[in-house]
Amino acid sequence: MVDTKNTVKLQNGKNMPIFGLGTSQVSKHEARSAVRAALDAGYQQIDTAYNYLNEDAIGEVLQEYIKGGKVKREDLFIVTKLPMIHMDPKLVKRSIEMSLKNLQLQYVDLYLVHLPIPLAYDGNDENVFPTEASGALKVADKTDLIGTWKAVEELVDLGLTKSIGVSNFSISQLERICEIAKYKPVVNQVECNIYLQQKEMFDACKTLGITITAYAPLGSPGRNDLMKEQGESEGLEDPVIQRISHKYGKTPAQILLRFLIQKGTTVIPKSVNPERIRAR
């Protein structure tokens, strides 16, 4: 079972590991290596998404470790997400079934609506970011977040996911969903780090009983140029974080993650470096 000493209890009573491996913008080859390193290091939560186009590679490793007796399925907490092109309620069940086939699993532990922005579906399941001739994303003609949520709720009843939640939703969108929900979202996954502390979101989610999962918890290392334009240094190189890490004998990454964990979030730092994965 999931180690309850290192979990947060979601509002539906399920336990979610505090720490997980993020796999956004990770190639299939990198995903295989990263997930192996994470499982070897004792990680229980693996976070992926249909949009990342690496679910099948992650599924290969999960089956390798499950069938090899290295881990038990019930000891893992696997998260994936509904893509924006499949937000039409009629497409939701088919979409999670596609993800489950890729992951080679009977169910996921948490299924998230990836973004509150339905994109036009042209029948091509691999075209996850359809664009207009201008290059802008092609948004669906109709937006029905309530209808999408009700379809996602049915996945719980079907046993295809243990818990459901959202990602990148605003406070007003969370409140709308909670007003009509049979099963309230247990998680809102948002960018959160020392430069983007999300105080209003924390306050709202506490009131609604929703747990925050922080992605980019190290300060968006992949966006250095943008952050420098804003007068911000990357979190790992921040002089204050450097001083704290020297004082306590921890790595800057450990300090940044501890800051968020103490606020009650779960965190999913992304890395493809086995040494960094082990040094969580």
Side-chain angles (χ1 to χ4, degrees), residues 239-252 255:
V240 175
I241 299 302
Q242 289 281 334
R243 287 198 297 271
I244 295 173
S245 70
H246 289 313
K247 178 179 179 179
Y248 292 101
K250 301 293 184 180
T251 67
I255 298 298

Side-chain angles (χ1 to χ4, degrees), residues 22-227:
T23 61
S24 171
Q25 298 178 324
V26 172
S27 71
K28 293 183 181 185
H29 175 72
E30 292 172 326
R32 292 184 186 96
S33 174
V35 172
R36 287 190 182 101
L39 294 178
D40 287 342
Y43 284 56
Q44 293 183 296
Q45 182 190 165
I46 306 294
D47 181 278
T48 185
Y50 184 100
N51 283 350
Y52 301 164
L53 303 178
N54 59 18
E55 289 176 319
D56 56 343
I58 291 172
E60 290 174 18
V61 177
L62 294 178
Q63 284 305 303
E64 173 189 329
Y65 276 63
I66 292 170
K67 290 180 178 178
K70 294 182 179 180
V71 296
K72 295 179 180 179
R73 171 63 184 96
E74 59 268 27
D75 292 339
L76 299 174
F77 193 97
I78 308 302
V79 184
T80 195
K81 307 175 188 74
L82 175 72
M84 292 89 84
I85 59 169
H86 292 165
M87 288 178 67
D88 183 321
K90 298 189 295 293
L91 298 175
V92 169
K93 178 174 178 288
R94 173 175 167 274
S95 191
I96 194 174
E97 288 174 341
M98 293 172 68
S99 289
L100 291 173
K101 182 178 180 180
N102 286 333
L103 291 165
Q104 301 185 50
L105 298 175
Q106 298 299 311
Y107 67 91
V108 290
D109 298 274
L110 177 60
Y111 195 58
L112 305 178
V113 180
H114 202 153
L115 273 161
I117 306 170
L119 297 182
Y121 176 59
D122 61 6
N124 181 358
D125 293 308
E126 295 183 2
N127 186 20
V128 294
F129 295 111
T131 57
E132 304 280 5
S134 64
L137 286 174
K138 190 173 184 179
V139 179
D141 293 333
K142 182 180 179 182
T143 300
D144 182 16
L145 292 181
I146 299 302
T148 298
W149 184 254
K150 288 184 177 297
V152 170
E153 288 180 323
E154 293 177 7
L155 305 178
V156 178
D157 294 330
L158 292 170
L160 300 177
T161 182
K162 301 293 185 181
S163 301
I164 52 178
V166 297
S167 179
N168 301 298
F169 272 49
S170 69
I171 293 171
S172 62
Q173 289 165 337
L174 289 174
E175 291 172 341
R176 281 180 58 206
I177 294 296
C178 288
E179 285 177 1
I180 57 86
K182 174 183 177 182
Y183 302 123
K184 292 183 179 181
V186 297
V187 161
N188 187 22
Q189 187 179 116
V190 297
E191 181 175 358
C192 187
N193 49 62
I194 58 170
Y195 302 122
L196 184 61
Q197 296 191 23
Q198 299 276 17
K199 183 180 186 306
E200 290 184 2
M201 181 63 71
F202 267 90
D203 292 342
C205 284
K206 183 176 181 180
T207 298
L208 296 169
I210 297 172
T211 297
I212 288 179
T213 292
Y215 68 79
L218 302 182
S220 303
R223 301 187 218 176
N224 285 349
D225 291 342
L226 173 62
M227 296 181 75

